[in-house]
């Protein structure tokens, strides 16, 4: 610890000394070894010097040598001599108390020990015994006049009484004064460099040479700047514009200055003006109730009709700042520059004008308007209906395995014919001279003579049937014709045509001799045409064109309509070719009807005669069969005008559910459709003789009455042959007559 | 076949539109620069009529600009300024990086700037066009003028916005063109009519904004840059149309009044000037001193095709307008320190009233609270301790409601501490079938010159009282004797029996009536059925449209009914409560 201090003091004192000495001093200041080395060197020197002298005046030589060595020594000695008293003068705090050797450490480390450090010999210094309790302390405080200046020395644990000077020092330091009493912090300042020009220079230093010579570096810089200015890299400062910021911009409004672009301009719509609900004190009805508030919170922010919750404040002072104000302005900004604009014409239509002007239903009478009769008796859903050509009798087939014959006017069930199976289809022979009903039961068609009405008539029918003479050679037939047994005969069944598969539909030709059946099967044997008088059947199609839904004969011409799922094909039976293919524009055709054109069904006319002849001139009504309606399971009704195109002339979407059946009236311009929604819609369908005038279709009545059972409503619809009445059969097991 | 085959999407609408990215590439601009350019030039995307065609068969969501718009941007001088600015920033950064302070200073001196004058002129070829588009500009300037002077945007911008906004307010005062005011929960809406154009703007309530983080202030700043230019030019023109100095000067005599009496320097000259102006209490100096001859009546030229009635109506409207403008003429207002000073001072001054406030509140106070000539003092505290006789103490809503009603409303509803009547929006014009709140009905009646409001109220009160009296009497009777009650019951039973016997006898009369009704109903039913059937025959597209229209109508009706029902429920609840309190008071 002492050495570096000593060296420092050395340095201070021996400023002028050369570095050699200081180096020497550094290498060995107080080591004896180095002095020994010096002595050796000295000896070597002696040796060298001895050789040239060769023993001449050795003492003389010795003297300078000695003096040399001495000359080197004295400064060293001096320095040592000077530093010796310094060592004691210096009063470092480190050396003040050398009794404790722990060094400059926090004394708390010794708190828990009985000793407080170690003395020079390594022995513990014990803490002075302090057995003063609080009372002693207090007494001391009271009695000892120097108590206030007694301080405990942390290093030794001993109490020290501060002297007056020390107390003064503490006071001064506490006040923020300098520790030294004699130090004056506010000595008068002496300005060496004042603003006054002196006659003498402050320094006596002669001016540098460079102050007389132009600077090369500056020259280079200037030339660079000049070059930059010349090249236009540095531009002179722009003159301040003195034009006023605002002036009359529209002083010369030139209407021609409107650019063409302004024609395409779509001005931004103005912000919506606030309504009552935005008021700080709105009428109470505009405030949201609890549920509305909840609903508002759950809505997406984009979906909300109001972008704020209406609120009521008692007075203007209570109104807070709106937290989304900046947001809303920002959104407006975004709308202005980001939102694509398009000019949209607001539809300013009176909704009443959109409703088409149709003739009033009142002017289109007669048509059925009210439910007149209900024919009850069937225990299950009534699938099919048929009216006798005279219009006196009604036959209905049901899922309960019976066919019932009703008198139309009285709703009396005249006859019940159990057939032992679900009756899928029933058809009364359209020839008024023959009293025969074809009934589809499972795999066979029963030809039934209901024995109703004129006895002559049904007797004649029986005679006709019995007069059949089987041909000599049996022809191969797809079906079997079986005459009824006597038991069956008594029930009215005359003939049974047994098919190989279940049947779907049976329909008569207008003349009453031929009838066609549809088999529920996807083969080429789906459609069969039978002749009653000759009791033979044939298959008109060689290939299957899809699942056949229903078939119909043209009322007068030798045409045959076959409806598959999506198309209606019209075949010419004479030429044996496809005439037309109608696109029904629907998914699944359910039923079909042909416009009979008001004549008496063409029952008496012969297809052969009519073929190829256009009887336009002599028929007051339009040619029959030019208009076809198709009902479909996707609740559409398609009206085809065969003269116009193979696509529907009109698609009517009146029903809400699948259509089950459609029907035309024989005389009146009416057609009806029955649907699963339990309604029958009667429409006026006027077909004009003039080919240029399109048919007029007007719905005239929605008839309700059937109750929905098993999601089924009306299953079949049939018009009365002469009266404007319509029969409907429903899934609720009833048949209803509307007149 | 002759000629080249035309490729798809090389003609027609596909060539008229350009996507944003392509437009940006064509202009050689970065996205922020493109955005700024679009904002400044007012270019916006267009929605093509056949989006798929324009989008070359794709249905991806894209924004399309008109190709013509983009071509028009190609020649914009500002685009070059943008590029220059980009270069400037690059050079400056370089200079700073090399610690060449001198270069940096020199660059800063030559900082490229641009002016938007020509863009304003181009976007708004006529002054009326500019006025039409002033709504957003004003709202934005008013918002920016409330921003704190630190952060977010340049202090100069804020100061400029404040100046322009105050100038506009002063113009509105000078021209008396304010028409409607509305205190909403979002802020205060004002509507002024300047040169026949309605201009609506909104100012926020004077509170510090908590600045949202999801708002791009650069976009708003760009808009504001344009809007301040626009508003400055508009202000200039408007001031000159009224022969006022621009920049505005406070009228000589008014200036003396405005000067603080102590003669102390209030603030720096430039600042105090703006503050004096924004005090809105002094009128502005005119270039030409106004003379009385200015009020010469305008000659009337009958417009062709206009009947006398129409002319009369027009004249009446004009008179009503003049009257509305002088609504507060001759009234002296004093604003207490708790009411918002600026909006109220603005509104009152717009309608010719005089207004003052506490001297310590703001510069520009013209008279003291103790002034005996004060007619109305606007107060927004539950009660006033020391009331001076001879003036009304009113809540601030009175001023706004009166302005909207175009007449000074009866003051009784607006006394301090009183439950205020609802504040209705003046922007709503009810059409037929809309719900009209009862307060509005009352107001309309009052405007027509009738005074049914109070009468009905009185009547209502009377009725209520009567009802209450009846009730009370009933109760009393009930309490008094129950024997009477029994007798009454007996009598009632007798009467009922009589009535029944009466009913049984004259069968024919009732039958006749019923049939009459039936006829009407039948007719109606038939008509409705006809309509239903006709609707069935509608074409698909028309039916869709019809259903949409009918849905909208029905919804409107439903909403109106809902509001009416709510109001009714509220009123009955209120009545019940009133009765209860009255009873309690009586008890």
């Amino acid at each position: 610890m002492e050495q570096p201090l000593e060296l420092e003091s050395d340095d201070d004192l021996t400023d002028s000394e050369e570095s050699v000495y200081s180096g020497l001093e550094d290498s060995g200041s107080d080591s004896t070894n180095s002095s020994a080395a010096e002595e050796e060197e000295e000896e070597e020197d002696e040796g060298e010097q001895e050789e040239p002298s060769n023993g001449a005046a050795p003492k003389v030589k010795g003297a300078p040598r000695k003096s040399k060595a001495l000359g080197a020594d004295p400064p060293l000695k001096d320095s040592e001599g000077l530093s010796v008293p310094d060592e004691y003068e210096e009063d470092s705090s480190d050396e003040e108390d050398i009794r404790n050797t722990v060094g400059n450490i926090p004394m708390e480390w010794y708190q828990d020990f009985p000793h407080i450090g170690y003395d020079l010999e390594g022995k513990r210094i014990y803490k002075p015994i302090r057995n003063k309790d609080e009372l002693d302390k207090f007494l001391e405080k009271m009695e000892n006049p120097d108590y206030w200046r007694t301080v405990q020395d942390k290093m030794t644990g001993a109490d020290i009484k501060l002297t007056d000077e020390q107390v003064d020092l503490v006071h001064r330091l506490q006040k923020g004064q300098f520790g030294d009493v004699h130090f004056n912090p506010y000595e008068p300042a002496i300005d060496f460099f004042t603003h006054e020009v002196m006659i003498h220079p402050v320094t006596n230093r002669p001016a540098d040479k460079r102050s007389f010579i132009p600077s090369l570096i500056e020259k280079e810089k200037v030339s660079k700047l000049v070059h930059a200015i010349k090249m236009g890299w540095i531009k002179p400062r722009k003159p301040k514009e003195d034009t006023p910021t605002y002036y009359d911009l529209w002083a010369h409004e030139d209407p021609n200055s409107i650019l063409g672009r302004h024609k395409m301009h779509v001005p931004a719509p103005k912000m919506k003006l606030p309504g009552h609900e935005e008021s700080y004190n709105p009428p109470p009805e505009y405030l949201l109730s609890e549920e509305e508030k909840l609903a508002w919170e759950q809505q997406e922010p984009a979906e909300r009709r109001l972008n704020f919750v209406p609120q009521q404040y008692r007075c203007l002072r209570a109104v807070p700042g709106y937290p989304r104000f900046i947001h809303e302005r920002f959104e407006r900004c975004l709308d202005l520059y980001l939102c694509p604009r398009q000019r949209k014409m607001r539809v300013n239509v009176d909704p009443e004008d959109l409703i088409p002007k149709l003739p009033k239903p009142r002017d289109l009478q007669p048509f059925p308007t009210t439910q007149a009769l209900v024919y009850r008796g069937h225990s299950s859903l009534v699938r099919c209906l048929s009216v006798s050509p005279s219009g006196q009798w009604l036959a209905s087939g049901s899922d309960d395995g019976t066919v019932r014959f009703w008198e139309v006017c009285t709703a009396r069930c005249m006859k019940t014919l159990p057939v032992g199976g679900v009756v899928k289809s029933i058809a009364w022979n359209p020839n008024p001279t023959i009293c025969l009903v074809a009934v589809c039961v499972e795999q066979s068609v029963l030809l039934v003579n209901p024995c109703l009405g004129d006895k002559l008539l049904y007797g004649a029918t029986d005679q006709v049937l019995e007069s059949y003479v089987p041909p000599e050679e049996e022809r191969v037939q797809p079906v079997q014709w079986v005459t009824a047994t006597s038991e069956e005969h008594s029930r009215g069944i005359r003939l049974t045509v047994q098919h190989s598969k279940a049947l779907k539909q049976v329909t008569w030709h207008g003349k009453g001799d031929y009838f066609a059946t549809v088999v529920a099967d996807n083969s080429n044997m789906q459609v069969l045409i039978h002749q009653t008088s000759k009791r033979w059947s044939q298959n008109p199609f060689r290939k299957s064109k899809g699942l056949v839904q229903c078939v119909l004969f043209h009322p007068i011409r030798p045409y045959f309509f076959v409806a598959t799922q999506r198309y209606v094909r019209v075949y010419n039976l004479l030429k044996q070719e496809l005439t037309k293919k109608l696109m029904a524009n629907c998914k699944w055709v359910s039923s079909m009807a042909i416009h009979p054109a008001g004549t008496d069904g063409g029952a008496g006319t012969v297809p052969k005669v009519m073929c190829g002849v256009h009887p336009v001139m002599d028929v007051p009504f339009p040619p029959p069969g030019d208009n076809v309606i198709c009902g479909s399971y996707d609740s559409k009704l398609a009206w085809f005008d065969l003269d116009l195109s193979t696509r529907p002339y009109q698609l009517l979407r009146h029903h809400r559910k699948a259509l089950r059946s459609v029907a035309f009236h024989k005389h009146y311009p009416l057609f009806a459709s029955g649907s699963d929604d339990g309604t029958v819609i009667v429409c006026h369908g006027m077909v004009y003789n003039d080919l240029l005038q399109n048919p007029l279709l007007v719905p005239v009545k929605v008839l309700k009455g059937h109750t929905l059972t098993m999601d089924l409503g009306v299953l079949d619809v049939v018009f009365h042959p002469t009266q404007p009445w319509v029969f409907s059969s429903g899934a609720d097991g009833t048949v209803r007559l509307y007149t | 076949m002759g000629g080249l085959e035309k490729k798809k999407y090389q003609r027609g609408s596909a060539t008229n539109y350009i996507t944003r990215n392509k437009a940006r590439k064509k202009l050689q601009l970065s996205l922020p620069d493109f955005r700024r350019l679009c904002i400044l030039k007012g270019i916006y995307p267009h929605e093509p009529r056949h989006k798929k065609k324009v989008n070359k068969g794709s249905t991806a969501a894209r924004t399309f600009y008109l190709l013509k718009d983009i071509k028009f941007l190609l020649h914009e001088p500002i685009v070059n300024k943008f590029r220059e600015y980009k270069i400037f920033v690059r050079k400056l950064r370089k200079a700073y990086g090399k610690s060449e302070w001198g270069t940096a200073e020199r660059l800063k001196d030559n900082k490229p700037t641009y002016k938007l004058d020509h863009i304003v002129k181009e976007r708004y070829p006529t002054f009326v066009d500019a006025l039409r588009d002033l709504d957003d500009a004003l709202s934005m300037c008013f918002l920016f003028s409330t921003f704190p002077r630190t952060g977010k945007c340049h202090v100069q911008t804020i100061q400029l916005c404040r100046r322009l906004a105050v100038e506009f307010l002063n113009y509105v005062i000078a021209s008396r063109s304010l028409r409607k005011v509305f205190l909403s929960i979002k802020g205060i809406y004002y509507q002024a009519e300047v040169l026949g154009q309605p201009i609506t703007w909104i100012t926020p309530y004077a509170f510090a904004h908590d600045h949202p983080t999801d708002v791009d202030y650069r976009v708003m700043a760009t808009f504001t840059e344009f809007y301040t230019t626009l508003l400055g030019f508009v202000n200039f023109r408007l001031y000159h149309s009224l022969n006022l100095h621009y920049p505005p000067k406070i009228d000589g005599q008014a200036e003396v009044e405005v000067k603080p009496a102590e003669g102390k320097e209030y603030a720096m000259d430039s600042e105090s000037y703006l503050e004096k102006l924004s005090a809105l209490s002094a009128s502005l100096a005119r270039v030409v001193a106004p003379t009385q001859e200015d009020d010469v009546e305008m000659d009337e030229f009958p417009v062709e095709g206009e009947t006398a009635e129409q002319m009369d109506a027009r004249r009446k409207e004009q008179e009503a307008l003049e009257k509305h403008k002088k609504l507060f003429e001759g009234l002296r207002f004093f604003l207490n320190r708790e009411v918002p000073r600026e909006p109220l001072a603005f509104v009152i001054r717009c309608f010719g009233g005089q207004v003052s406030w506490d001297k310590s509140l703001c510069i520009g106070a013209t008279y003291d609270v103790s002034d005996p000539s004060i007619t109305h003092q606007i107060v927004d505290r539950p009660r006033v301790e020391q009331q001076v006789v001879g003036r009304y103490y009113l809540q601030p809503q009175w001023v706004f409601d009166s302005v909207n009603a175009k007449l000074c409303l009866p003051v009784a509803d607006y006394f301090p501490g009183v439950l205020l009547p609802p504040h209705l929006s003046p922007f709503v014009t009810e059409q037929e079938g809309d719900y009209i709140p009862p307060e509005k009905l009352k107001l309309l009646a009052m405007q027509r010159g009738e005074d049914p409001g109070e009468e009905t109220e009185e009547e209502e009160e009377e009725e209520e009282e009567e009802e209450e009296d009846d009730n009370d009497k009933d109760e009393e009777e009930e309490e008094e004797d129950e024997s009477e009650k029994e007798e009454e019951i007996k009598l009632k039973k007798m009467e009922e029996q009589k009535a029944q016997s009466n009913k049984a006898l004259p069968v024919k009369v009732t039958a006749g009536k019923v049939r009459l009704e039936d006829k009407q109903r039948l007719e109606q039913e038939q008509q409705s059925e006809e309509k239903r059937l006709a609707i069935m025959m509608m074409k698909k597209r028309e039916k869709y449209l019809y259903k949409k229209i009918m849905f909208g109508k029905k919804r409107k009706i439903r909403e109106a009914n809902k509001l009416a029902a709510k109001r009714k429920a509220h009123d009955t609840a209120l009545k019940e409560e009133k009765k209860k309190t009255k009873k309690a008071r009586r008890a």
Side-chain angles (χ1 to χ4, degrees), chain B residues 383-573:
Chain B
R383 62 173 180 279
V384 184
E385 298 295 342
Q386 290 178 331
Q387 295 209 349
V388 179
V389 181
R391 65 175 77 159
Y392 291 119
Y393 286 85
L394 295 172
Q395 298 208 36
Q397 197 188 317
W398 181 82
V399 176
F400 299 104
D401 278 355
S402 299
V403 166
N404 291 338
K406 299 181 181 176
L407 49 92
C408 282
L409 291 173
V411 289
D413 295 340
Y414 297 92
F415 286 148
V418 167
L419 191 69
L420 288 168
H423 179 61
L424 297 173
S425 166
F427 300 111
V428 181
T429 47
E430 277 91 357
Q431 271 132 22
E432 212 177 303
D434 285 352
Y435 172 72
I436 307 176
E439 287 85 8
K440 179 99 180 184
L441 288 174
K442 221 154 91 183
L443 191 74
L444 289 174
M446 227 185 273
Q447 278 172 349
R448 264 179 268 127
E450 301 158 24
D451 197 10
E454 287 181 13
E455 280 173 27
T456 51
E457 263 185 22
E458 279 168 19
E459 277 171 22
E460 273 174 24
E461 277 175 20
E462 279 168 19
E463 279 172 19
E464 277 172 27
E465 278 171 15
E466 278 170 18
E467 278 174 23
E468 278 160 25
D469 288 346
D470 289 350
N471 287 344
D472 291 345
K473 278 175 195 168
D474 286 349
E475 280 168 28
E476 281 163 22
E477 280 168 10
E478 276 169 31
E479 283 163 14
E480 275 171 7
D481 41 5
E482 290 185 359
S483 59
E484 271 185 31
K485 208 176 175 185
E486 280 171 18
E487 277 179 20
E488 269 182 24
I489 291 169
K490 272 182 190 172
L491 278 172
K492 271 184 188 171
K493 271 185 184 173
M494 294 264 283
E495 277 179 15
E496 275 173 21
Q497 279 173 354
K498 270 185 191 175
Q500 278 177 357
S501 59
N502 280 348
K503 271 179 199 168
L505 282 170
V507 176
K508 284 174 187 173
V509 177
T510 49
K513 266 190 180 175
V514 165
R515 201 180 283 165
L516 253 179
E517 280 175 4
D518 260 4
K519 252 187 188 173
Q520 277 182 349
R521 225 179 61 195
L522 267 177
E523 192 95 339
Q524 270 183 4
E525 268 177 19
Q526 207 165 8
Q527 273 181 2
S528 68
E529 195 184 346
E530 272 172 25
K531 202 171 161 189
R532 250 198 333 266
L533 290 171
I535 288 169
M536 283 201 318
M537 278 309 285
M538 273 160 89
K539 277 173 198 160
K540 203 174 173 186
R541 187 194 284 169
E542 282 177 356
K543 199 189 259 177
Y544 174 73
L545 186 63
Y546 179 82
K547 275 186 180 164
K548 226 172 148 183
I549 293 173
M550 292 317 273
F551 176 78
K553 276 190 170 177
K554 270 180 194 162
R555 190 177 57 189
K556 221 173 175 183
I557 292 167
R558 205 168 56 229
E559 274 168 10
N561 287 346
K562 196 175 159 195
L563 283 177
K566 252 176 146 181
R567 177 70 186 213
K568 208 175 168 189
H570 179 264
D571 283 353
T572 48

Side-chain angles (χ1 to χ4, degrees), chain A residues 250 266 279 281 285 305 317, chain B residues 44 237 380 423 435 559:
Chain A
W250 293 279
V266 185
S279 165
N281 183 14
E285 61 267 32
R305 292 199 73 201
R317 193 187 41 188
Chain B
Y44 44 86
R237 174 99 180 189
D380 198 1
H423 179 61
Y435 172 72
E559 274 168 10

Side-chain angles (χ1 to χ4, degrees), chain A residues 234-238 243 245-253 257-259 261-262 264-266 270 273-276 278-287 292 305 307-309 313-317 319-322 325-330 332-333 336-343 347 351-352 354-356 358 360-362 650 652 654 697 699-702, chain B residues 35 43-49 66 69 72 106 109-110 115 117 120-127 130 132 135-136 139-140 143 182-186 189 198 200 202 204-205 207 212 214 216 220 223 227-228 232-233 236-237 380-381 397 420-425 427-428 430 435 437 526 529-531 533-534 536-538 542 546 553 559 562-563 566-567 570:
Chain A
I234 297 178
K235 291 195 181 78
R237 191 173 292 141
K238 276 179 200 161
T243 50
T245 9
Y246 300 123
Y247 50 90
D248 195 354
L249 191 66
W250 293 279
H252 312 287
E253 275 184 9
S257 69
I258 297 168
L259 295 174
R261 207 172 63 86
H262 286 279
M264 302 290 281
H265 180 55
V266 185
K270 293 201 169 186
L273 289 172
H276 296 312
E278 207 181 309
S279 165
Y280 86 101
N281 183 14
E285 61 267 32
Y286 287 98
L287 295 173
E292 284 170 331
R305 292 199 73 201
N307 57 2
F308 58 93
V309 181
Y313 296 99
R314 201 171 28 77
C315 55
L316 186 59
R317 193 187 41 188
V319 183
Y322 185 60
F325 194 92
I326 297 178
H327 273 115
E328 286 193 355
R329 288 316 322 163
F330 178 62
R332 172 71 179 168
C333 286
L336 283 179
Y337 92 96
L338 273 185
C339 186
R341 297 187 199 168
Q342 188 180 31
R343 205 181 281 278
V347 186
E352 299 303 321
L354 288 173
I355 299 173
L358 294 174
K360 284 196 173 172
R362 217 177 302 163
Q650 234 172 16
L652 308 176
H654 296 170
L697 309 181
V700 288
K701 190 71 192 171
V702 180
Chain B
R35 189 178 62 202
I43 304 289
Y44 44 86
H46 282 255
E47 183 79 8
R49 199 151 292 240
L66 278 181
D69 281 354
F72 160 79
R106 189 166 44 75
D109 278 343
N110 278 354
K115 285 192 144 191
D117 309 5
V120 173
K121 183 76 201 274
E122 186 184 87
R123 278 178 70 172
Y124 307 109
T126 61
F127 184 54
R132 259 181 225 144
D135 288 12
D136 292 313
S139 298
M140 201 60 143
L143 172 65
F182 179 50
L183 299 169
S184 89
I185 52 173
K186 293 182 179 175
Y189 287 88
T200 318
I202 179 174
Y205 287 114
F207 290 103
D214 51 343
D216 191 351
M220 299 234 283
F223 267 102
Y227 285 154
T228 48
F233 284 115
F236 186 92
R237 174 99 180 189
D380 198 1
R381 49 180 82 179
Q397 197 188 317
L420 288 168
H423 179 61
L424 297 173
S425 166
F427 300 111
V428 181
E430 277 91 357
Y435 172 72
Q526 207 165 8
E529 195 184 346
E530 272 172 25
K531 202 171 161 189
L533 290 171
M536 283 201 318
M537 278 309 285
M538 273 160 89
E542 282 177 356
Y546 179 82
K553 276 190 170 177
E559 274 168 10
K562 196 175 159 195
L563 283 177
K566 252 176 146 181
R567 177 70 186 213
H570 179 264

Side-chain angles (χ1 to χ4, degrees), chain A residues 214-438:
Chain A
S215 161
L216 275 177
I217 298 166
E218 279 178 6
K219 187 185 164 193
E220 205 173 321
K221 269 190 182 170
V222 168
S223 70
K224 266 186 184 171
L225 284 174
V226 168
H227 182 61
I229 289 169
K230 273 184 184 169
M231 296 301 283
W233 298 331
I234 297 178
K235 291 195 181 78
R237 191 173 292 141
K238 276 179 200 161
K240 288 275 176 205
E241 282 190 45
D242 52 349
T243 50
T245 9
Y246 300 123
Y247 50 90
D248 195 354
L249 191 66
W250 293 279
H252 312 287
E253 275 184 9
D254 182 12
N256 296 329
S257 69
I258 297 168
L259 295 174
R261 207 172 63 86
H262 286 279
K263 279 175 200 157
M264 302 290 281
H265 180 55
V266 185
K270 293 201 169 186
M271 289 283 276
K272 213 179 135 231
L273 289 172
H276 296 312
E277 62 275 355
E278 207 181 309
S279 165
Y280 86 101
N281 183 14
E285 61 267 32
Y286 287 98
L287 295 173
L288 299 185
S289 62
E290 286 300 316
E291 303 99 65
E292 284 170 331
K293 217 176 271 179
L294 208 68
W296 185 91
E297 272 159 15
Q298 279 168 352
Q299 262 178 332
E300 287 285 315
E303 283 175 1
R304 291 172 183 160
R305 292 199 73 201
L306 293 176
N307 57 2
F308 58 93
V309 181
Q311 265 163 336
Q312 192 169 30
Y313 296 99
R314 201 171 28 77
C315 55
L316 186 59
R317 193 187 41 188
V319 183
Y322 185 60
R324 287 191 54 81
F325 194 92
I326 297 178
H327 273 115
E328 286 193 355
R329 288 316 322 163
F330 178 62
E331 273 158 23
R332 172 71 179 168
C333 286
L334 289 189
D335 281 352
L336 283 179
Y337 92 96
L338 273 185
C339 186
R341 297 187 199 168
Q342 188 180 31
R343 205 181 281 278
K344 275 201 173 167
M345 290 299 150
R346 180 176 280 272
V347 186
N348 199 4
V349 191
D350 183 17
E352 299 303 321
D353 291 347
L354 288 173
I355 299 173
K357 292 280 167 285
L358 294 174
K360 284 196 173 172
R362 217 177 302 163
D363 307 335
L364 301 174
Q365 273 169 345
F367 55 83
T369 51
T370 50
Q371 179 178 311
L373 290 170
V374 182
Y375 304 79
R376 289 181 204 280
H378 282 295
S379 58
S380 184
L381 40 99
V382 184
R383 273 195 194 276
C384 44
L385 283 177
S386 185
V387 190
S388 72
S390 62
Q392 199 181 353
W393 314 107
L394 173 72
S396 64
S398 160
D399 267 16
D400 57 2
T402 59
V403 174
R404 279 173 188 263
F405 296 91
W406 315 82
E407 192 176 22
V408 166
C409 302
T410 55
R412 216 176 98 195
C413 181
M414 301 300 290
K415 216 172 176 188
T416 308
L417 178 69
V419 289
V422 173
V423 182
K424 280 279 175 67
S425 175
I426 191 163
W428 209 295
N429 195 323
N431 192 342
T433 58
I434 297 173
C435 184
L436 207 59
V437 179

Side-chain angles (χ1 to χ4, degrees), chain A residues 505-520:
Chain A
Q505 195 215 351
V506 60
T507 179
W508 285 98
H509 182 253
K511 208 174 145 195
D513 192 18
Y514 291 94
F515 67 93
T517 53
V518 180
V519 176

